[in-house]
Every structure is written in structure tokens, then in C-alpha cells.
Amino acid sequence: MGKDYSGSPKLQLRELKRKRLMWVLVVSGLCVFFYVLGAWQGSSRAPTSQSELYSRVGCDVGSTKKTSNEQVPSSSWDPQPVSDPLDFESHHQLEVNSSEESQKFPPCDMSFSEYTPCQDRQRGRKFDRKMMKYRERHCPKKEELIRCLIPAPPNYKAPFKWPQSRDYAWYANIPHKELSIEKANQNWIQVEGDHFRFPGGGTMFPRGADAYIDDINELIPLSDGTIRTAVDTGCGVASWGAYLLKRDIIAMSFAPRDTHEAQVWFALERGIPAMIGIMGSQRLPYPARAFDMAHCSRCLIPWFSNDGMYLTEVDRILRPGGYWILSGPPIRWKKYWRGWERTKEDLKQEQDSIEDVAKRLCWKKVIEKGDLSVWQKPFNHVQCFKNKKIYRMPHICKSDNADAAWYKNMETCITSLPEVSSSDEVAGGKLEKWPERAFAVPPRISSGSIPGVTVEKFQQDNEMWKGRVAHYKHVVSQLHQGQYRNVMDMNAYFGGFAAAMMKYPVWVMNVVPTNSDVDTLGLIYERGFIGTYQDWCEAFSTYPRTYDLIHAGGVFSLYQDRCDITYILLEMDRILRPEGTVIFRDVVEVLVKIKSITDGMRWESRIMDHESGPFNPEKILLAKKSYWTGAAKQEQR
């Protein structure tokens, strides 16, 4: 006789698993059978996905069906049928680095309505004024972090829809008239009743930004797709970037938080890409060889100071063959020197110094015409190495990572370009013209310069994001209705999300976390998109209420062991507009923890299945920030 194994714990467990699997298969089969017969609630429309099929017939195995409408978004937010909120809490447990759960976060005092944590002016005064260090990022220490929700001002309104927002913004949203007074004669901004109007003027373009860009187009090609990414240093209200958009050129505009109140804020309110930033002592938070064009229109940056350090930094972030455009002092000083209240000698010396630095960087002076002067960076460093026999300084950098740009000091050395086999070759690889560039394999991938990143992975990522964004269209109605403009991807990877979003009237700030396994921001720029490095344990360099949609795929799994995720969520609340949306993608356990925190942040949210169906371990948490404002001063007690 054979031995009796019925008492074996392993055998019992195996038998239990087998029976459970059989039960799941039987129930699933019955559900499909009843749906096909049309016996479920008389429904006649066929499901569009496996996920919808299971939710339509009530067969989310392992979930608890909720009959109330608690935490279900309104029909205006999510009109399409998707699976009900799933009761994952009782089935999954995971320790995630967060502070106490189920806390109700109170509103902050109205004095915090314009809070920019890492650009706080009182904190900045403690730092050296040399090289503008006091205006750089200085984030609060752990004990200084606040645990309240940043209030919107009374009477806050949803911004104008793009493209109308380019020219208009509500006064109640950014109640600052300083620029309309200080720059009244330069046509930056005008107050008209309850709103602002942006005529497109600027200090150096009195005929308007459009005419000014036409002048640039006569000097370098702006319309053939060669130039796609640009950077505007000291951008004002970013009208230059605003009017480049209709030419399919996207500019990263930045300016400090300074006495010209809310420059960057106005730009973002208008639906124009911008960040709070400054050229001080540290590198700009962008990779090497990122921008096709750099621009300064009376940006007041001392380009020749500190051994030409600032122009050297522009050289680092400029692509081979990229252009640097300068208008304003000292260009055309012979005509304007009286109005600039400077001597001829002083202005001539400044221009001579800039010309000298440009030569030492191996740049070529393309043209100087009218108020504009244009230089071009070489396509490779073959000749530049030869020139070092004449211009020994600045030397070629010895650093092995030109892309390193998070809290890294600028250097007075030339960032070396990738080696080439001939003097005609473009260092790092030639790019396709826009828009083909968006889906062409970036040179950083085809050359194998990013470890573990292959052409196959890149192409698979593009296909995956096409499917994901098609799914988002069904669950975020504001997307295809054109109500959202400013979008952020907190963990951009290859920029596939931004590429798939090109069909919508949006722009995407692609963020690559500083602790990512691979640095992919350079290839994102090679695709023709913009972005920045960021450590999400700190605040982002923007004003409150500046993004309509935030995508957070795998962010919290990446940060759960590094810092308290509660503060990451509070930062997301700070930069998200009222009635803005967040799409989280992560494993169930992490999403449950996130939901337990956001429930106390005046967000409506629900967990739903992956677009491929209920059997994918990754799930989606769709959240919407509710509309609320701070109290007017007379109502406060």
C-alpha cells in the first residue's frame, strides 16, 4: 500500500491553492457566460476591454462591491464606465515611509498662498549674495516642513483655456499689479478689469514678441524643424517662449523669484513652460547638449564675469551646432548707451569681453544685425582642440559626467563633446527634424551610451504609452476636452508619456528623479521635449497651483525608503490647481497607502485596474483635487 500524504501541510496548501484557482476559473467563466447571454442587467453595449468586462458583470474576484457612491468622482470628471473602487486594504499590507494615516490636513494661513518652499526670501537672506547664491534653491529642513494645505486666493477661477490663455489671465488668481506698473512702457502686461492681458511686448521687442521672432528667423532657421528646444534665461513673463510655440519650438523659460513679482507664475498661468531658476553658482538642472537654442533679451546676466563661467554653462547645455542669441546691453551700444545710463567705454569693454569668451569656447559669430547678435556652437571639438594651442583657457573639463546638474557647482572649463571620426560629423549624433524627432531613436540610445537602454526597449515603451494615454482619455475627460494645459510627469523615463500626449493641446514637464537607476533626461531632450532633474524629497521650483495634471508612475515605490511620502503628496497638492487631476501608477499596497493620506487632503480618489485588465499587479489611482479657497481677509478671525 502507498503512503498516506493527506496529513502533509505542503500537500494541503497545494490542494487549497488548486481548489481556489478552480473556483476563480469557474466563477470567471460563469460571469463571461452570463454576459454573453445578455442576462446581466439588460446591457447591450459590448465591453471595450477585459478589465471592463469583469467590472460590468461584477466579477472582481477578491474585491468587496461598494453600493454607495462614496469617493466616486462626479460624472463631469469621469463619465466613462470603469471598475468600481476596489477594497484592497484588507488583502494587502506593506510598510511605507509615511507619517500617521487618516490625518485631516488643515488649510495653511493665507500668508502661505504664494509659498515657494525652496525659494523662500527670508531663508535666502541668510546666504551669500556673491554669485547670487541667496537666490538659488535653499530648501527647508525637516523640522521646518509644514503639514497644511496651501490655500488658493478668494475668487480663484480656472485659467483661460489654451490658446486664449496665452494672452489672458485672471487677476484673482495672481493678484499682483507690480509688473503692469514697473513695465508699463514696455507692454509686458496690462490690467483690464478682472483680468490681465499680455500684449506680447518686451524690453527689447517693442513691436511685440512675434515681430522679434520674425527678426531672428531672418538670421537663423526657425521654421524647418531643425530647432525644437530652447532656453530663455531671465525670461520675464515668457512672451518669447509663448510666441515660439506656434512655430513648434518649445522653450524652457526661467527667472528668479525677485522684485519683479511673479514673472514665472504669470508664464505658467498663461500655459507657457517655465521654472523658478537663476544662473548663480550652480549648474542649471538640465543635462549637457539639451537645447538647440539659448536666448537672453536684456536678462542682465554678467556673461563675461567669473572667467566667463555663465557662458561656459550655456555651452554645456547647448547642443552641437546650437545657437546663442543676445539682445540688449551691450549689443548696439553705440545707439543705446545714453538710454542705458552707461558710458561708451564701459559698454564697449563688456562687448569685447563677451566676444573674447565666445572665441575661447570655440563659438562662431554668425551675425550681428540691428539689436540682435547670434553665435553658434561648433558641431564637434576637432578644431577646438587645435585652438587650445592659442586659447589655453578655459581648458577642456576632465569631469566624467557632463549631465550631472543637481546641486553641482558650475565650472570654468569647456564641457567635452563626444568624440567624432571626422570634422564633418555631429558630436553625439545628428538629430531628425521635428516632428519626426519625437519618435526617432535618440542618438544616446542608438550609440549605446546609456547602460541597459536598447532600441527595442525604447520602441516597446512608445507602444506601451500609446495604449496608456488612449486609456487615460476615457478616465480623464478634461484631457480631450482641452481643459488641461500644464502637465507634469514626475518620473518621465524615456518621455513616452509626453510623446503620446502630443495629440492634445498640452505641454509636459518631464522630470527625471535624481535617484533614478539611469539618467534619461538627455534622451528626452534629444526627442524634442523639455524637462528637469528633481529630488522629490524636496519641493519643486514653481509657484503654487501651476499644473493641471500630474502623472506619477512608480514615484512612490522609488521614494518610499528615502523620505516621508506625506510631504511628497503635500508638495503635489501645492503645485496642483484646484480641480486638477493626478494619475498614480504603482503596486496596490503603495496606492492604498497614498489613498489613506490623500483622503485627508480634500482629494477625491479611487483605485482602478490596470488598462490591460485586473490580473496586472500594477494598478491606477485616479485622484482629483477639490475646489476650495482661503477666506478673504475680512472673513478671517
Side-chain angles (χ1 to χ4, degrees):
M1 294 180 63
K3 295 183 179 179
D4 183 6
Y5 289 99
S6 60
S8 168
K10 289 185 178 179
L11 187 60
Q12 290 176 346
L13 181 60
R14 188 180 301 116
E15 181 65 16
L16 182 63
K17 288 182 177 179
R18 187 185 68 80
K19 290 181 177 179
R20 178 176 175 77
L21 178 60
M22 289 292 294
W23 178 79
V24 170
L25 292 172
V26 169
V27 172
S28 299
L30 287 173
C31 290
V32 175
F33 173 73
F34 282 121
Y35 175 78
V36 173
L37 289 179
W40 188 261
Q41 295 183 343
S43 176
S44 59
R45 185 176 68 83
T48 58
S49 66
Q50 184 186 34
S51 175
E52 186 185 345
L53 184 150
Y54 276 89
S55 64
R56 286 268 296 276
V57 297
C59 291
D60 283 330
V61 179
S63 69
T64 301
K65 185 86 169 178
K66 291 182 184 282
T67 56
S68 71
N69 60 1
E70 182 183 356
Q71 297 171 344
V72 176
S74 64
S75 58
S76 62
W77 173 39
D78 184 16
Q80 301 295 329
V82 293
S83 54
D84 287 338
L86 304 179
D87 184 20
F88 290 113
E89 290 91 332
S90 61
H91 303 289
H92 300 270
Q93 296 295 327
L94 177 68
E95 290 297 321
V96 180
N97 188 6
S98 66
S99 43
E100 57 185 297
E101 302 175 30
S102 303
Q103 176 184 350
K104 297 294 182 182
F105 296 92
C108 303
D109 185 82
M110 273 302 296
S111 61
F112 283 89
S113 182
E114 301 180 6
Y115 185 45
T116 53
C118 296
Q119 282 85 16
D120 182 74
R121 280 176 285 193
Q122 287 187 335
R123 186 180 300 109
R125 293 191 186 104
K126 301 175 184 177
F127 293 87
D128 195 348
R129 298 181 72 87
K130 183 179 179 181
M131 294 186 69
M132 308 297 285
K133 290 182 179 180
Y134 74 109
R135 284 187 178 168
E136 294 180 325
R137 282 177 60 90
H138 301 292
C139 298
K141 297 177 181 177
K142 188 175 181 180
E143 58 272 17
E144 298 176 298
L145 298 173
I146 60 174
R147 297 180 65 86
C148 53
L149 306 177
I150 304 299
N155 304 316
Y156 178 89
K157 300 179 182 179
F160 289 91
K161 289 174 65 174
W162 183 264
Q164 191 181 17
S165 66
R166 188 195 71 178
D167 302 327
Y168 297 97
W170 296 113
Y171 173 78
N173 292 7
I174 308 179
H176 286 285
K177 296 182 180 180
E178 294 90 339
L179 277 175
S180 65
I181 299 169
E182 291 181 32
K183 301 291 183 179
N185 64 332
Q186 294 170 20
N187 235 12
W188 280 26
I189 179 173
Q190 297 174 358
V191 180
E192 298 181 348
D194 61 355
H195 63 271
F196 294 106
R197 186 170 72 87
F198 300 87
T203 308
M204 292 308 301
F205 33 94
R207 295 181 295 125
D210 221 12
Y212 175 78
I213 293 169
D214 284 338
D215 292 341
I216 296 174
N217 191 44
E218 292 180 3
L219 309 179
I220 59 175
L222 295 182
S223 306
D224 66 353
T226 303
I227 295 174
R228 164 61 181 173
T229 57
V231 60
D232 191 10
T233 57
C235 65
V237 294
S239 289
W240 186 71
Y243 283 84
L244 279 174
L245 286 166
K246 70 178 186 180
R247 303 170 192 253
D248 279 337
I249 297 174
I250 187 165
M252 175 70 81
S253 301
F254 68 84
R257 177 164 187 165
D258 62 2
T259 52
H260 290 165
E261 201 54 76
Q263 294 179 96
V264 166
W265 203 358
F266 279 124
L268 288 160
E269 187 72 10
R270 298 170 67 190
I272 304 164
M275 288 178 63
I276 301 174
I278 192 168
M279 296 199 79
S281 67
Q282 297 174 343
R283 285 181 172 182
L284 297 171
Y286 317 121
R289 313 193 315 273
F291 297 98
D292 305 316
M293 176 170 60
H295 174 256
C296 165
S297 172
R298 195 164 183 155
C299 60
L300 305 180
I301 295 172
W303 295 111
F304 59 94
S305 298
N306 305 303
D307 297 321
M309 180 179 287
Y310 298 129
L311 266 187
T312 304
E313 174 63 2
V314 171
D315 180 79
R316 183 186 72 86
I317 63 173
L318 204 57
R319 277 198 55 75
Y323 297 96
W324 184 57
I325 302 166
L326 177 63
S327 65
I331 304 303
R332 213 177 181 188
W333 57 268
K334 292 180 182 179
K335 177 180 179 180
Y336 295 120
W337 67 277
R338 286 188 179 88
W340 292 338
E341 298 181 354
R342 292 172 61 183
T343 66
K344 292 181 179 180
E345 293 75 20
D346 180 34
L347 287 161
K348 181 180 185 306
Q349 183 181 8
E350 180 178 342
Q351 178 150 359
D352 289 345
S353 298
I354 290 174
E355 301 276 8
D356 181 63
V357 173
K359 285 181 182 178
R360 292 174 183 273
L361 292 172
C362 307
W363 292 5
K364 178 181 71 174
K365 182 77 171 284
V366 176
I367 193 170
E368 183 171 322
K369 183 178 180 181
D371 297 339
L372 292 164
S373 193
V374 182
W375 286 262
Q376 186 175 27
K377 179 177 175 175
F379 287 96
N380 56 60
H381 274 166
V382 172
Q383 186 62 42
C384 193
F385 283 120
K386 296 178 181 178
N387 290 349
K388 287 297 114 183
K389 296 177 182 178
I390 304 172
Y391 301 109
R392 296 187 180 276
M393 297 298 291
H395 62 274
I396 304 294
C397 296
K398 297 179 181 179
S399 172
D400 60 351
N401 187 1
D403 291 342
W406 188 249
Y407 292 126
K408 183 171 175 58
N409 288 335
M410 289 185 191
E411 298 180 78
T412 52
C413 58
I414 301 175
T415 300
S416 180
L417 290 174
E419 293 184 5
V420 294
S421 56
S422 72
S423 59
D424 298 327
E425 188 178 345
V426 178
K430 187 177 180 180
L431 297 177
E432 297 286 341
K433 292 186 176 182
W434 184 264
E436 290 76 17
R437 179 173 167 179
F439 292 97
V441 178
R444 296 191 194 214
I445 293 180
S446 57
S447 66
S449 61
I450 304 177
V453 177
T454 64
V455 172
E456 291 73 23
K457 284 184 179 180
F458 173 75
Q459 292 170 339
Q460 290 169 4
D461 187 76
N462 282 332
E463 290 303 311
M464 177 184 71
W465 278 109
K466 287 179 184 177
R468 286 182 173 182
V469 170
H471 179 65
Y472 294 160
K473 176 183 177 181
H474 295 294
V475 298
V476 183
S477 61
Q478 291 89 340
L479 192 57
H480 61 85
Q481 292 173 1
Q483 294 175 349
Y484 286 169
R485 171 66 181 169
N486 300 354
V487 179
M488 175 182 287
D489 190 351
M490 293 177 68
N491 189 13
Y493 196 41
F494 294 163
F497 173 63
M501 292 283 282
M502 286 169 57
K503 67 179 79 172
Y504 300 111
V506 304
W507 66 270
V508 179
M509 178 68 80
N510 292 281
V511 179
V512 172
T514 55
N515 60 318
S516 298
D517 291 336
V518 290
D519 180 356
T520 54
L521 191 55
L523 73 86
I524 289 172
Y525 273 94
E526 288 182 339
R527 299 187 70 175
F529 305 117
I530 59 171
T532 182
Y533 294 111
Q534 170 69 21
D535 181 349
W536 285 115
C537 290
E538 300 178 357
F540 193 76
S541 292
T542 192
Y543 285 86
R545 302 174 297 281
T546 45
Y547 285 87
D548 306 297
L549 174 65
I550 300 176
H551 191 276
V555 173
F556 291 86
S557 285
L558 189 64
Y559 278 90
Q560 63 184 0
D561 297 322
R562 295 194 65 239
C563 53
D564 188 340
I565 67 167
T566 303
Y567 291 109
I568 300 179
L569 291 165
L570 287 170
E571 171 63 4
M572 294 171 71
D573 182 83
R574 183 185 75 87
I575 67 179
L576 189 65
R577 298 193 199 276
E579 298 187 307
T581 297
V582 181
I583 302 172
F584 299 90
R585 302 184 74 97
D586 224 309
V587 295
V588 171
E589 292 86 351
V590 172
L591 295 184
V592 168
K593 181 65 68 172
I594 292 170
K595 190 177 188 307
S596 71
I597 298 169
T598 59
D599 282 349
M601 290 169 50
R602 307 192 186 193
W603 288 18
E604 301 172 355
S605 64
R606 61 169 166 180
I607 298 175
M608 60 181 63
D609 283 324
H610 189 276
E611 62 272 359
S612 66
F615 301 116
N616 193 307
E618 183 182 70
K619 303 296 177 184
I620 298 170
L621 173 62
L622 192 64
K624 183 181 181 182
K625 179 178 176 178
S626 61
Y627 176 88
W628 64 277
T629 69
K633 289 183 179 180
Q634 60 268 27
E635 297 174 3
Q636 293 179 345
R637 297 185 180 182

